[in-house]
Amino acid sequence: MSILVIAEHDNSTLKAETLKTVAAAQAMGSNITVLVAGLNCQAVADAASKVNGVSKVLLCDNAVYEHQLAENMSLLVTELAENYEHIVATALTTGKNFMPRVAALLDVAQISDIIGVESADTFVRPIYAGNAIATVQSLDAKKVITVRATGFDAVATDGNANVETLDTVCDAGTSSHVSDELTESERPDLGAATTVISGGRGMQNGDNFSLLEGIADKLGAAIGASRAAVDAGFVPNDMQVGQTGKIVAPDLYIAVGISGAIQHLAGMKDSKVIVAINKDPEAPIFQVADYGIVADLFDALPELESKL
């Protein structure tokens, strides 16, 4: 089975999620090629060549791929798809953007957000906001798949694949990049952090999220939020954890003032250890928590910070 994995990167660094996506690809077959499309991204291709299990790296270095616009990426991947049975990308913003277009152009069904591989044509994925797990089989000649990286362990980086440069330029000419609006923080990236502390509607307002900062600093944690907190305008939406936000699976997840709606649980219930702080003893979050504190968060948080 020939497999094409599209690398997640920012033109300078290969994202760790790609290593987990390659792990999923290894369960599908052995002939794995990684596509690095971007601008001035030779360093990313070099990093991809060291990923264990990768036999070849394709480098498309051109200005039309600098921001990985869905219209351009889908044309490129579709053009390369002729030589592969599996086209695989990470289920993050970029992959979720262009992969449905690839599936449409190839006239096949996309299999989204897989968390397990049973065989080359059979995959495991969550449905109903993670309340059920479905095992699905694809009969399509080409399988277009996005991988929930939190479901796999990263592969090693002791490989030595060849890097092949392609001159393929696919410019749909139907969209353009305007600007990036990035949130800068010294804390770890929410999607990759090993410790996450999140606040919910119980925080009451955005100013109270400062109560989480001291604890986050002591634990080296990222700060997240529930959809209710984001919708209420407490914090920006790039902090949202949940089915329509970031999917996280840290070693430690601390949920503060979060009731535990299905939508939120879908984004964090794979965390290794879950701690919940909520004054409602009937809150659904306690059903998935390893440790629960029934207390007013405004009393519990200062005490927790003082004891760390």
Side-chain angles (χ1 to χ4, degrees):
M1 293 289 178
S2 296
I3 303 166
L4 180 66
V5 174
I6 296 92
E8 278 277 345
H9 64 91
D10 59 2
N11 289 316
S12 59
T13 306
L14 182 70
K15 291 192 176 181
E17 287 84 356
T18 301
L19 305 183
K20 299 178 180 181
T21 302
V22 169
Q26 287 180 348
M28 302 174 201
S30 57
N31 188 11
I32 299 172
T33 299
V34 172
L35 169 64
V36 175
L39 179 64
N40 299 326
C41 54
Q42 181 68 49
V44 178
D46 292 341
S49 71
K50 294 180 173 60
V51 177
N52 188 279
V54 173
S55 57
K56 182 169 64 175
V57 175
L58 300 178
L59 172 60
C60 285
D61 198 319
N62 192 281
V64 300
Y65 306 124
E66 179 178 5
H67 303 288
Q68 295 185 303
L69 298 175
E71 294 80 357
N72 298 346
M73 286 295 296
S74 59
L75 292 178
L76 171 63
V77 174
T78 303
E79 186 170 323
L80 297 174
E82 181 180 352
N83 299 319
Y84 302 94
E85 285 82 37
H86 295 74
I87 297 94
V88 184
T90 311
L92 292 175
T93 304
T94 303
K96 287 181 177 180
N97 200 16
F98 70 79
M99 286 293 273
R101 290 173 176 268
V102 173
L105 290 168
L106 294 174
D107 195 23
V108 299
Q110 176 174 307
I111 302 173
S112 305
D113 246 8
I114 68 165
I115 58 173
V117 179
E118 301 249 323
S119 67
D121 66 357
T122 305
F123 311 95
V124 180
R125 61 181 300 268
I127 59 174
Y128 303 132
N131 279 307
I133 302 297
T135 300
V136 295
Q137 183 179 30
S138 171
L139 301 180
D140 289 320
K142 293 190 184 298
K143 287 134 182 80
V144 176
I145 300 163
T146 60
V147 174
R148 182 177 290 192
T150 55
F152 299 87
D153 294 326
V155 299
T157 53
D158 54 1
N160 187 27
N162 292 326
V163 177
E164 179 182 327
T165 302
L166 301 181
D167 295 326
T168 308
V169 178
C170 297
D171 186 358
T174 55
S175 67
S176 60
H177 177 264
V178 177
S179 65
D180 289 321
E181 296 183 15
L182 304 175
T183 301
E184 294 186 6
S185 173
E186 294 181 359
R187 293 195 176 89
D189 176 69
L190 182 58
T194 56
T195 305
V196 174
I197 182 168
S198 291
R201 195 197 306 272
M203 301 299 294
Q204 297 183 0
N205 59 58
D207 292 339
N208 288 334
F209 267 75
S210 62
L211 293 170
L212 305 180
E213 293 176 359
I215 296 171
D217 290 341
K218 290 185 176 183
L219 295 176
I223 296 180
S226 69
R227 179 173 178 173
V230 172
D231 286 350
F234 296 170
V235 292
N237 60 11
D238 61 354
M239 291 174 62
Q240 182 180 327
V241 173
Q243 186 182 15
T244 53
K246 300 279 179 66
I247 306 293
V248 301
D251 294 335
L252 172 62
Y253 187 87
I254 305 174
V256 181
I258 295 174
S259 64
I262 290 172
Q263 194 274 345
H264 186 76
L265 297 182
M268 48 62 73
K269 66 181 182 181
D270 290 331
S271 304
K272 292 182 175 60
V273 176
I274 299 173
V275 176
I277 302 173
N278 200 298
K279 65 182 180 181
D280 177 11
E282 302 300 320
I285 191 71
F286 288 122
Q287 296 176 16
V288 300
D290 298 286
Y291 300 94
I293 302 173
V294 179
D296 189 316
L297 65 89
F298 296 104
D299 296 328
L301 289 178
E303 185 176 357
L304 175 60
E305 182 179 349
S306 70
K307 298 217 185 292
L308 285 172

